[in-house]
Amino acid sequence: MLKKKQNRIFLFLISLLFASTGSAQEIYDLPSFINRVLEENYEVRVQRNLEKIAKNNDRLGNAGFLPTVDAELTTSKSFNNTNQELSNGTINEGNNAVSNNLNAYAIVNWVVFDGFKMFAKKDQLNLLAQLSTVDTKYYLEQTIYDVALAYYQLLANKELIENFRNTLDISRFRYKLEKKKLEVGASNALSYNQALVDYNIDSLAVLNYEVAIKSLEIQLSQYASLDPELPLVFAPDSIYTTSQFVLDSILAEAMEANRDLKRSMLEELIAEKSIKIQQADYYPEVNIYGQYAYSQSTNEVGFLKQNTIYGPQIGLAVRFNLFNGGNDRREVVNEKYYAENATFQRQNSETLIRASVLDKFNQYQSLKQRLNLAIENAKAASRSLEIASAQFQKGIIDGYDFRQTQLTLILSENRMIQLELDLKMLEIDMNRLRGRLLEIL
């Protein structure tokens, strides 16, 4: 493990050298990279705009509290051919007689009572804004989780490729040794060919992990809206974790912070407001309005040469639906069922949270025990390979036995790295349930 850490530091120093001699390449740690993602990721910015829209909709005017004011101005000119014969024998005639009309008005309409619908609507808009905030927080946490998953997979793959490169060095040494033995007649073609096959297998493994690492780097660059063709440089880091969890504390924090539960609670309240909105149809609607109108018309032919009307008007309108086929009652009943379903969803969310926390807690405890065993096993396998290397060079064991010892070390170290990654991912997932994801990254 110490050698791996030294190698990581060496690679980091090399990256610093290239960063200083070439174009200024930013070096990230996980917190700074997450900050970059939260600022630049396009999908995150879209979700934040959706939250702003929901908050912008939470206004008195959108709920129906405020009056509406309209104004209109129309003017027209007509050219008419007119022939009028009155009962007293008078005849009025006109060719292309001009008529001018001017109409203007301003009207204020205000719903002063709508069965308390506006109050329920305003409460519902506020709850929808809160719901959007919860959704944004969840989306940010999900994005952070995805970034952390890719990041620690990248670290794990870099450790794995380091193992395979060390193994490749050993396989290269064995291959060259078998080749020399074959040349001097101290070995046979079978041992040489098997050493060559093993060397090629380890080379392919290194190439596969190089592709996987590049793919993860491109994925992380995409999250941060960075150019995927540019190198992505991270400071040295480890996937090992020593977090301790207490089951009762996790359950309490998860109940307080869980997005699904918060969403269910808000949806339950929104459904209750929908009932009140529908029940408003049981009451009359009262409007008051005021209007000022101006109208003027002039005619070259006709009874009135000019007519002007202007002045204010005020009024009160009361509308009460006496019967609409029972639809108002039907809609209220349906909204009650929706509210009941929202309650069921909240209760189900509480059950799922408890089950999820308990399951992940048990997995975490088991993984810690398995990781400790894997670390001990990797140390033992490393000592075995040192012994086997010395015996192989002395000819005490053949290439097959040496390869089995080598494979045992590869598998034990890979298993240890995979368990470290699984434990880290479980730690991140549990902290996401607690609403404390950013605190541990």
Side-chain angles (χ1 to χ4, degrees), residues 305-316:
K305 184 175 182 180
Q306 178 177 321
N307 183 32
T308 302
I309 301 174
Y310 59 91
Q313 179 185 11
I314 59 173
L316 175 71

Side-chain angles (χ1 to χ4, degrees), residues 53 66 103 131 182 190 214 217 236 272 286 298 331 374-375:
I53 291 172
L66 304 180
N103 295 282
L131 184 63
L182 183 64
L190 178 61
K214 186 59 180 177
E217 289 177 344
E272 291 175 359
V286 180
T298 59
E331 290 174 355
I375 292 173

